[in-house]
Amino acid sequence: MRYSYYPGCSLERNAGAYHTSLMAVAAQLGVEFAEVDDWNCCGATEFIAVNRLRAYALVSRNLALAARQTGGSNGAAKGQLVAPCSACYLNLSKVDHYLSESPALASDVNQALAAGGLSYAPGSLRVRHLLDVLVNDVGYEKVAARVCRPLHGLRVAPYYGCLVVRPGFRERFDDPEYPTSLDRLMRALGATVVDFPLKAHCCGGHMTQISRDVALELIRRLLKNAADYQADLIVTLCPMCQLNLDAFQESVNGLFGTEYRIPILFFTQLMGLAFGLSPAAVGIGKEFIDARPALAKIGAAAPAAAEAAPKRKPRRGDQSLPLPQMSEEE
């Protein structure tokens, strides 16, 4: 199996372990991902609120490149574009949907794309999330057949976040209210999946940079929910969710007086461990919350987690943020 692949910005930065583990797991399963040449940022979740046409053109450029290349010489499965990041996946799929619904919008976007010698016909690609491909194309049985170090005894809280199962755009691969595909995948690896009622709730996204206390409260609720069900770790499929729950866990403890120490790993990292790969081979050791106590349950000697957070750049003043302003009357 071979797919066109849009990694998105996060997998080249803070979510590098997601990309590393994905490629390691894909090699074990015989799946190939052909990266889209010259791709650009999808605009994340904010840009569409700043300038709708430019945001759609930004995303459409990636769709146009992928459509052209999947029909070209890279050998990818024709018309299928895979994104591991939930925000990228949502942006790509909803822009494709909106362009299909509005010929006028598609015309405006294609006029912008023409400046770069590109065009995109809405609906010519099937945009899919990585989890969808692994559970529905590869399948639970094939995944289970590769397991040589089952995750027995490891209590896992599967966290989907709010983007990947959001309804309203093209095909959905799981229930938006109560998804279970990641649960089933973890069970196929031998893990014990705990109940996690907040599995599809928001982590706050970029709210950590806008209203920090609101974001920390959203993160606290997720950590408490996992702790209430005695999870050893939370497994996720979204770079933003992983970043918020991992990097801001100590901030939550500082604000609320809690003592959470719950590792946050990508689902591809647990797949790699179950396939017998070393923790280093799947990027474990780069997270802020030490995963070693949890992974000791399955006999995986993980490297130490990051000793300290890198120094952050000074925060800009709120007035410099390119955000829409709402009048007090509204």
Side-chain angles (χ1 to χ4, degrees):
M1 290 180 277
R2 189 174 169 88
Y3 301 86
S4 190
Y5 174 63
Y6 176 79
C9 307
S10 296
L11 271 78
E12 291 194 338
R13 299 287 183 178
N14 57 287
Y18 196 5
H19 177 79
T20 299
S21 55
L22 160 59
M23 292 303 162
V25 166
Q28 296 272 321
L29 295 171
V31 181
E32 294 183 52
F33 294 103
E35 185 170 329
V36 176
D37 294 334
D38 196 31
W39 58 267
N40 54 263
C41 174
C42 74
T45 55
E46 291 86 356
F47 192 39
I48 199 168
V50 177
N51 188 306
R52 183 169 175 255
L53 179 59
R54 291 181 183 178
Y56 285 0
L58 192 72
V59 176
S60 296
R61 182 177 182 275
N62 294 313
L63 293 169
L65 288 171
R68 185 170 69 179
Q69 291 167 26
T70 54
S73 59
N74 69 356
K78 184 174 176 61
Q80 296 205 41
L81 176 63
V82 175
C85 169
S86 298
C88 297
Y89 162 69
L90 183 65
N91 279 343
L92 291 164
S93 57
K94 76 179 180 183
V95 168
D96 189 33
H97 174 72
Y98 285 155
L99 296 188
S100 297
E101 282 196 329
S102 173
L105 177 61
S107 176
D108 290 343
V109 166
N110 272 312
Q111 186 176 353
L113 293 178
L118 293 170
S119 65
Y120 179 67
S124 59
L125 277 176
R126 184 185 180 194
V127 180
R128 306 180 68 187
H129 191 274
L130 173 66
L131 179 63
D132 176 19
V133 168
L134 293 183
V135 302
N136 290 317
D137 288 9
V138 176
Y140 299 107
E141 290 184 1
K142 185 172 181 179
V143 169
R146 295 295 306 179
V147 173
C148 60
R149 181 170 56 197
L151 309 182
H152 291 162
L154 192 64
R155 295 175 62 82
V156 175
Y159 180 47
Y160 299 76
C162 65
L163 297 178
V164 73
V165 293
R166 187 172 294 184
F169 311 111
R170 298 209 178 276
E171 59 184 286
R172 302 287 90 181
F173 65 91
D174 208 335
D175 189 300
E177 296 290 343
Y178 192 76
T180 58
S181 52
L182 184 57
D183 301 47
R184 293 181 62 190
L185 181 61
M186 290 299 106
R187 291 192 184 98
L189 303 179
T192 298
V193 176
V194 304
D195 196 8
F196 193 35
L198 300 187
K199 63 170 70 175
H201 283 219
C202 179
C203 72
H206 291 149
M207 187 65 73
T208 53
Q209 308 304 306
I210 301 168
S211 181
R212 187 177 175 85
D213 286 358
V214 171
L216 295 182
E217 167 60 13
L218 293 173
I219 296 170
R220 184 198 66 80
R221 294 178 187 180
L222 296 170
L223 296 172
K224 181 181 186 303
N225 195 222
D228 285 346
Y229 288 90
Q230 301 177 321
D232 294 315
L233 57 84
I234 295 174
V235 63
T236 186
L237 41 75
C238 172
M240 176 57 73
C241 296
Q242 196 279 337
L243 175 66
N244 277 349
L245 270 64
D246 184 36
F248 290 94
Q249 201 164 143
E250 290 297 355
S251 298
V252 168
N253 289 335
L255 182 62
F256 296 101
T258 51
E259 297 180 348
Y260 297 123
R261 300 289 300 172
I262 304 175
I264 316 296
L265 298 180
F266 294 107
F267 75 99
T268 45
Q269 292 180 293
L270 289 189
M271 291 180 71
L273 293 177
F275 291 174
L277 299 175
S278 70
V282 293
I284 290 175
K286 297 180 179 179
E287 59 282 349
F288 289 96
I289 302 301
D290 196 346
R292 286 179 296 179
L295 298 185
K297 285 192 167 186
I298 57 171
E307 294 296 331
K311 291 183 179 179
R312 300 179 60 185
K313 295 180 180 178
R315 298 182 67 180
R316 297 185 300 175
D318 289 344
Q319 296 304 314
S320 67
L321 293 173
L323 297 172
Q325 300 296 317
M326 182 179 294
S327 65
E328 293 185 359
E329 288 75 12
E330 295 177 297

